[in-house]
Amino acid sequence: MLLVVDTGNTTTVAGIFDGDNLTAHWRLSSILHTPDELGIYMLNLLGTKDIKPSDIDGAAFASVVPSLDFSMTEAIKQYFGVIPLQVNALVDTGMKVLCKNPGQVGADRIVNAVAAREKYGTPLIVADYGTAITFDVVSPEGAYLGGAIAPGLQSGISALFSKAAKLPQVALSIPESVIGRSTEEAIQSGILFGNAGLTDRIVDMIRETPGLENAKVIATGGHAGLMAKVSRTIQHVDKWLTLEGLKMIHRRIFARAGRGN
């Protein structure tokens, strides 16, 4: 079995693949910092699915939190007895990265692009709704072109709450109308319909690029399903796209090394 982990600024997503089947998955807060904290927590998660540490024979992770990279590596080594593959823009993912500085591209963005290219074909746009909203573009030839980054939905609400004393924290749900009849509904309208407009405008502009006119749009991340309900351009929602990409890259690296999956 393969353990895969995507460590984000706010949320960590973990999963277990048995061959090509994602048999378990979790979406967690990124609050643990030491190898022992991470290791014990992951052991407990696997225990809820009756998965033993000895069942894990491979691991891969991507991270946008450099301070957690060492802890994640050590936790997997100590508690599961395998050396994890840390995926970043400099790893041989099988995707050419046509950016000015490929090493600066977030690992999760490359992983998403690799998985989406395999599953949906090209050209394509991946919109990932997390702490930030990222848009990643893959050319008709399958190369990573770059993209756009905007504040995430929850980040927007938190910014309003912290800077405006009279504005409350609100749940992310779709209001009945774009015209909010209460402060809570007005914030929901601005955040959700506003980010739907942001999504659609960026997608429209990307599709004005020669060769990208018919780019498919795949949404992933914690708020992908919600945004798909209010955006006119999102065509597919794939909640576990990053985990699938980690599996694909791990398989590629170890197959090339002659060590199987």
Side-chain angles (χ1 to χ4, degrees):
M1 289 184 170
L2 178 68
L3 168 66
V4 289
V5 183
D6 173 33
T7 303
N9 290 292
T10 305
T11 303
T12 292
V13 182
I16 301 292
F17 280 96
D18 187 357
D20 285 327
N21 297 319
L22 182 62
T23 59
H25 48 72
W26 304 271
R27 193 177 295 275
L28 317 159
S29 296
S30 297
I31 57 175
L32 305 177
H33 299 287
T34 72
D36 288 329
E37 287 175 333
L38 289 165
I40 291 170
Y41 197 54
M42 286 191 287
L43 284 179
N44 288 334
L45 289 175
L46 268 61
T48 66
K49 303 294 185 180
D50 295 321
I51 300 171
K52 302 184 293 293
S54 59
D55 293 331
I56 303 301
D57 55 17
F61 76 93
S63 171
V64 295
V65 189
S67 62
L68 292 182
D69 293 353
F70 173 80
S71 292
M72 183 62 69
T73 298
E74 289 301 305
I76 294 172
K77 285 167 59 178
Q78 292 176 25
Y79 287 85
F80 298 96
V82 297
I83 298 175
L85 170 68
Q86 182 179 353
V87 177
N88 56 45
L90 303 181
V91 166
D92 179 14
T93 63
M95 175 170 281
K96 185 178 292 186
V97 180
L98 302 180
C99 294
K100 293 178 180 178
N101 189 338
Q104 291 182 346
V105 181
D108 55 335
R109 300 178 69 187
I110 301 297
V111 171
N112 284 343
V114 167
R117 181 182 66 177
E118 178 70 21
K119 295 183 69 176
Y120 300 98
T122 61
L124 62 87
I125 302 164
V126 180
D128 190 344
Y129 296 91
T131 305
I133 302 172
T134 59
F135 299 89
D136 298 300
V137 184
V138 178
S139 73
E141 296 76 26
Y144 181 87
L145 297 178
I149 302 175
L153 279 69
Q154 195 61 56
S155 299
I157 288 178
S158 296
L160 280 175
F161 179 72
S162 65
K163 298 296 183 180
K166 283 192 153 186
L167 294 183
Q169 284 275 26
V170 301
L172 278 172
S173 59
I174 301 172
E176 293 182 1
S177 169
V178 70
I179 304 172
R181 305 299 291 272
S182 67
T183 300
E184 289 81 0
E185 288 181 357
I187 293 173
Q188 291 168 339
S189 174
I191 294 293
L192 289 168
F193 297 130
N195 279 288
L198 178 148
T199 295
D200 295 339
R201 176 60 173 155
I202 288 180
V203 168
D204 286 344
M205 292 181 72
I206 290 171
R207 285 176 170 169
E208 292 173 2
T209 304
L212 300 177
E213 296 89 349
N214 298 312
K216 295 174 283 292
V217 181
I218 295 87
T220 191
H223 296 131
L226 187 62
M227 288 305 300
K229 295 178 180 179
V230 292
S231 163
R232 63 175 169 77
T233 55
I234 293 173
Q235 296 165 283
H236 305 279
V237 175
D238 197 326
K239 288 180 61 177
W240 310 112
L241 187 69
T242 313
L243 300 186
E244 297 240 18
L246 286 168
K247 176 202 68 178
M248 293 174 189
I249 294 168
H250 182 274
R251 181 171 293 174
R252 172 184 173 84
I253 294 294
F254 282 85
R256 285 169 66 90
R259 292 156 61 185
N261 294 324

